[in-house]
Amino acid sequence: MTAGAEQALRTDTVVELDGTCGLSRDRIGGKAWSIDHMRALGLPVPPAFVITTDAWADFTRRGAIAEEIWAQVRTGIAMIERGTGRGFGAERRPLLVSVRSGAAISMPGMMDTVLNLGMTEAVQRALAEETRNPVYANDTRERFVHQYRETVLGDPTGPVPADPWDQLRGAIEAVFRSWDSARAKTYRRNRGVPDTLGTAVTVQAMVFGNLDELSGTGVLFSRNPNTGDGPVYGEWLVGGQGEDVVSGRLTPRPLDELAATQPGVHERLIAAAQLLERDGRDIQDVEFTVESGTLWLLQSRAAKRSARAAVRAAVAMVDEGLIGADEALDRVTAEQVREVLRPASGDTGGQEPLTRGESACPGLASGVVVTDPDEAEARAEAGEDVILVRPTTSPDDLHGMIAARAIVTELGGTTSHAALVSRELGRPCVVGCGPGVVDALTGRTVTVDGGAGLVLAGEVTAKPVEVAVLDDIRRLAHWAGVDADQLPVRLEERGAATESAAQEGITVNAPITELEVLRLVGIKGRVNADNLAASLSVEVSEIASRCADLVTAGLCATTPAGFRLTPEGRPRLEQLLAAERDTVDHAAITAAYDEFCVYNADLKVIITDWQMKDPATVNDHADAEYDAAVLARLTGTHQNLRPLIGRLGGIAPRLARYLGRLDRAVERIGDGDLTYVARPIMDSYHTVWFELHEDLIGLCGLTRAEEAAAGRAH
């Protein structure tokens, strides 16, 4: 297979991932962004294209894939055909593809990957003849039929389309529909992810880990995600394909076995992982396949990690010069510090464990064993401590995993679904305990010792915290300028700047979307990265990177005064705003806007009084008593309208950030910086209020000219 392609595909909704895509994660999703980035680094990645979130929005409106988008998909397949020298549905050198969902955030609950798509009886015969391996061809077809029925049709006996193009259309539509699945909604609700982000679809040429004895699949971490220590850490499954390792259905082998059998492949894999970690300056989770001795990388992303790994890696990367001390503090949360300071293992008193397996996430937790995720959720809500024990877990179990104090599985390794999700949730987890564990533990009170990989009878007393953990906490505390026991509070203070709607229960620390950046650039006209970062409560480096992506995509341009929209950027912004408007309850936003306009009239009077003592007298701010009275009116009006602005975030998630921005302006005014009353450009109270007014007008489907004529937007 050739990793390149003869001709780049550039369309509105379907884009080749050739290393020069230039689109943001918001539009193409994390998987596609990773593929494109790895190809830009010169790493071996099978050819692929992405169907952007624009197509998801169009599908959501229409309920079907538009013909013009489908034509672009067919062009994308032709690109992969040129890049591989194979034909989709061909009876000689046939091409098979994978279809993956891809939101901007890795999200359990989205549709599982479909592998080997394009398989038919004729294709099976062609593969058997080409490889002289009918066992492989038969295995590949059986995998495809099972996956397609399970993930696309939702029917274990459903009829799989005989036409590869019908298979592809069905898989793409299933990805789009999965955005609104119950399990995806559960994850977004738990993590504060907006429902309006949508999902992209990545289509990629297949490589086959099930081809022969020199083939397999695996997952590699650039550091141990359980402890944070190097060197690389991973698992490998000979004869496996795609989801075999992460699904937990099979128990893989240590990566050392790949080093023993194929040292050259192992060496190239380690080099790639180290390059990706240096480039990303973070622990990387790398999925790979080996096809007949040839290494292919499928995805790389920042790894989910335990609290201990987060602390250890942050300190180690400062020592290695990968990140600075300030960034290390940003990577560790107060809860992670508290978690590592809790005893992570127990004093067994010499008792034999009920079972043992691999440590997937350290920690110590006790509770009653339940085996059904619905039961785990119900009993936890009733105040009971429960331990979820399953043969293996899947995204369908997510709600039960969130509810449980700890997780145990019979099957799977440290890169299984249970392991990955438990680390993200911070739940102690032991995996690969072997068959029969579910029946043996059901109903018992047990203690899960995630660090030791043990399940013990009853409740177990904890051991003291390790000295190495205390040393890392002292280093972080020193960088934060506090004593170790004050580190969690200091980290919470650092994080408080990005939390602005806690009273209304709205999470605003969700990822910055393309719409948010383009909207602020459009409203402000010219704005530098510092001001954008202040408005969005993110690091300047992050917003500068996002704006650089927009400049590369031709949607923004740089000027001495900052970023501005390009002629191509304006219709893109209008398209995004129109898509957002379609997701908003029109009656609710109209009612909220009517209420806003009442406050708007009051605020205009307050700002006018701040600037002018009377129609003929400019306020020189020499009269402290006068100014104090005006500011008291401003503060009082703000407190009265906070519930309204909080509700706006529930109607249109992007508006949730406005409450934090207005709160910060009031706080700065209270601290004596009176420029935050009405100075343009900066995030003064009046500036932010104006921007909110503009957004409400747009979401109501109105124009400022219409509202000015009605007397509500002068």
Side-chain angles (χ1 to χ4, degrees):
M1 178 179 294
T2 306
E6 294 177 4
Q7 179 181 350
L9 177 67
R10 286 290 183 268
T11 65
D12 291 335
T13 54
V14 179
V15 182
E16 181 185 355
L17 302 173
D18 61 354
T20 65
C21 169
L23 298 181
S24 68
R25 290 177 186 265
D26 298 328
R27 290 190 67 189
I28 66 176
K31 288 183 173 66
W33 189 93
S34 168
I35 290 170
D36 190 68
H37 189 65
M38 288 193 297
R39 295 194 77 174
L41 292 172
L43 294 171
V45 182
F49 66 87
V50 63
I51 308 166
T52 70
T53 54
D54 301 333
W56 166 81
D58 186 81
F59 177 86
T60 301
R61 287 191 296 269
R62 296 173 184 266
I65 299 174
E67 286 308 307
E68 57 268 31
I69 293 177
W70 182 245
Q72 294 170 25
V73 170
R74 295 184 73 101
T75 302
I77 290 292
M79 176 275 298
I80 294 181
E81 289 177 326
R82 290 191 296 273
T84 61
R86 293 181 171 275
F88 190 59
E91 296 187 14
R92 181 179 177 277
R93 290 184 55 77
L95 167 70
L96 300 183
V97 299
S98 64
V99 177
R100 300 171 182 259
S101 62
I105 305 170
S106 179
M107 186 180 305
M110 294 297 295
M111 192 192 85
D112 294 335
T113 300
V114 176
L115 303 177
N116 310 311
L117 191 143
M119 176 64 76
T120 65
E121 290 184 6
V123 167
Q124 178 185 349
R125 289 193 297 270
L127 289 175
E129 181 178 347
E130 177 187 347
T131 63
R132 298 180 181 178
N133 188 346
V135 174
Y136 144 75
N138 183 65
D139 177 60
T140 301
R141 187 177 184 202
E142 287 183 351
R143 287 171 179 268
F144 165 66
V145 171
H146 174 76
Q147 275 193 328
Y148 198 90
R149 285 172 170 168
E150 184 178 71
T151 61
V152 177
L153 302 179
D155 181 347
T157 61
V160 177
D163 185 335
W165 293 103
D166 290 341
Q167 296 171 9
L168 181 60
R169 185 188 291 268
I172 294 169
E173 290 177 343
V175 171
F176 288 153
R177 287 194 299 268
S178 73
W179 176 259
D180 289 318
S181 69
R183 61 190 190 183
K185 289 181 177 179
T186 296
Y187 183 88
R188 292 200 294 273
R189 191 164 54 246
N190 181 256
R191 293 291 172 181
V193 177
D195 287 332
T196 53
L197 286 180
T199 183
V201 183
T202 301
V203 180
Q204 186 172 34
M206 280 296 304
V207 288
F208 300 97
N210 62 331
L211 180 56
D212 53 32
E213 67 278 0
L214 294 179
S215 302
T217 189
V219 175
L220 171 71
F221 294 91
S222 58
R223 300 179 194 229
N224 190 318
N226 194 8
T227 67
D229 293 319
V232 297
Y233 176 85
E235 296 174 325
W236 156 253
L237 190 64
V238 175
Q241 201 181 56
E243 301 295 302
D244 285 349
V245 175
V246 298
S247 70
R249 290 188 293 268
L250 300 171
T251 301
R253 305 300 301 161
L255 200 63
D256 290 346
E257 292 194 5
L258 176 61
T261 58
Q262 299 190 62
V265 171
H266 183 265
E267 183 179 342
R268 290 190 291 276
L269 178 61
I270 300 304
Q274 292 171 341
L275 171 62
L276 288 165
E277 180 176 278
R278 290 195 304 273
D279 178 76
R281 299 183 307 114
D282 202 356
I283 304 176
Q284 295 297 302
D285 172 357
V286 183
E287 296 178 15
F288 67 94
T289 287
V290 178
E291 181 186 79
S292 292
T294 299
L295 173 67
W296 295 96
L297 303 182
L298 304 180
Q299 181 172 330
S300 180
R301 56 191 170 188
K304 296 179 176 67
R305 66 208 68 182
S306 70
R308 175 63 185 126
V311 169
R312 176 85 284 272
V315 173
M317 287 184 177
V318 172
D319 292 340
E320 295 164 18
L322 283 179
I323 62 175
D326 197 57
E327 188 170 355
L329 292 171
D330 288 338
R331 290 191 179 184
V332 179
T333 68
E335 182 54 37
Q336 285 171 333
V337 171
R338 293 188 179 105
E339 185 174 334
V340 299
L341 291 176
R342 299 184 193 112
S345 192
D347 185 355
T348 66
Q351 69 164 302
E352 282 296 311
L354 298 174
T355 187
R356 66 177 70 238
E358 288 193 79
S359 168
C361 186
L364 198 72
S366 301
V368 177
V369 171
V370 296
T371 61
D372 178 77
D374 294 333
E375 181 184 358
E377 184 178 50
R379 292 174 69 166
E381 288 177 351
E384 191 173 0
D385 291 337
V386 298
I387 308 296
L388 182 64
V389 180
R390 302 277 287 163
T392 184
T393 67
S394 76
D396 292 316
D397 302 325
L398 180 62
H399 57 297
M401 300 172 76
I402 292 170
R405 295 287 309 280
I407 300 156
V408 177
T409 67
E410 293 182 339
L411 305 174
T414 55
T415 55
S416 65
H417 175 268
L420 295 174
V421 174
S422 69
R423 287 193 283 269
E424 185 180 11
L425 296 174
R427 303 292 190 271
C429 182
V430 179
V431 297
C433 294
V437 167
V438 171
D439 291 339
L441 298 183
T442 300
R444 300 188 63 165
T445 297
V446 303
T447 296
V448 177
D449 188 336
L454 304 177
V455 180
L456 302 153
E459 297 186 9
V460 174
T461 304
K463 291 179 180 178
V465 178
E466 294 178 6
V467 173
V469 173
L470 297 176
D471 288 342
D472 284 342
I473 294 299
R474 291 189 191 101
R475 297 280 303 283
L476 290 167
H478 174 72
W479 295 331
V482 297
D483 293 335
D485 60 351
Q486 292 298 309
L487 180 59
V489 174
R490 182 70 186 95
L491 293 175
E492 285 174 339
E493 291 172 351
R494 289 173 63 91
T498 60
E499 299 174 1
S500 63
Q503 290 185 0
E504 285 72 26
I506 298 168
T507 302
V508 297
N509 57 346
I512 304 302
T513 65
E514 181 184 19
L515 172 57
E516 287 178 298
V517 178
L518 289 178
R519 182 58 165 162
L520 272 175
V521 173
I523 288 180
K524 293 179 181 294
R526 302 286 189 279
V527 58
N528 61 36
D530 287 345
N531 287 338
L532 278 172
S535 296
L536 295 171
S537 297
V538 296
E539 294 292 332
V540 175
S541 58
E542 178 183 349
I543 206 68
S545 175
R546 296 296 300 276
C547 287
D549 288 344
L550 294 172
V551 170
T552 301
L555 302 178
C556 286
T558 55
T559 74
F563 297 101
R564 65 166 176 81
L565 291 183
T566 62
E568 294 78 16
R570 294 189 181 281
R572 172 61 185 164
L573 173 58
E574 291 304 314
Q575 180 186 23
L576 292 172
L577 289 171
E580 180 186 52
R581 190 160 53 244
D582 287 345
T583 68
V584 172
D585 184 325
H586 183 71
I589 197 68
T590 299
Y593 178 48
D594 289 340
E595 185 178 351
F596 172 92
C597 286
V598 175
Y599 289 109
N600 186 55
D602 294 338
L603 187 71
K604 285 191 294 184
V605 173
I606 292 170
I607 298 300
T608 301
D609 289 347
W610 176 254
Q611 297 166 335
M612 303 290 294
K613 295 190 74 170
D614 60 54
T617 308
V618 174
N619 184 10
D620 60 2
H621 304 295
D623 186 342
E625 185 176 349
Y626 175 88
D627 280 2
V630 176
L631 294 178
R633 289 161 55 201
L634 173 62
T635 302
T637 299
H638 175 67
Q639 292 304 319
N640 289 335
L641 63 85
R642 288 188 85 256
L644 167 63
I645 302 178
R647 294 200 308 274
L648 290 176
I651 300 171
R654 182 171 59 86
L655 304 187
R657 296 187 193 274
Y658 276 105
L659 183 57
R661 296 174 67 194
L662 292 169
D663 280 344
R664 285 193 294 275
V666 170
E667 182 180 351
R668 295 294 183 90
I669 293 167
D671 290 339
D673 190 348
L674 303 183
T675 60
Y676 275 84
V677 175
R679 181 163 295 179
I681 306 301
M682 64 187 294
D683 253 10
S684 68
Y685 197 94
H686 184 250
T687 297
V688 178
W689 180 269
F690 176 89
E691 293 173 12
L692 175 57
H693 192 177
E694 197 77 2
D695 269 327
L696 289 172
I697 290 172
L699 285 169
C700 289
L702 305 169
T703 67
R704 177 159 283 274
E706 291 170 339
E707 287 304 276
R712 304 205 301 181
H714 291 299

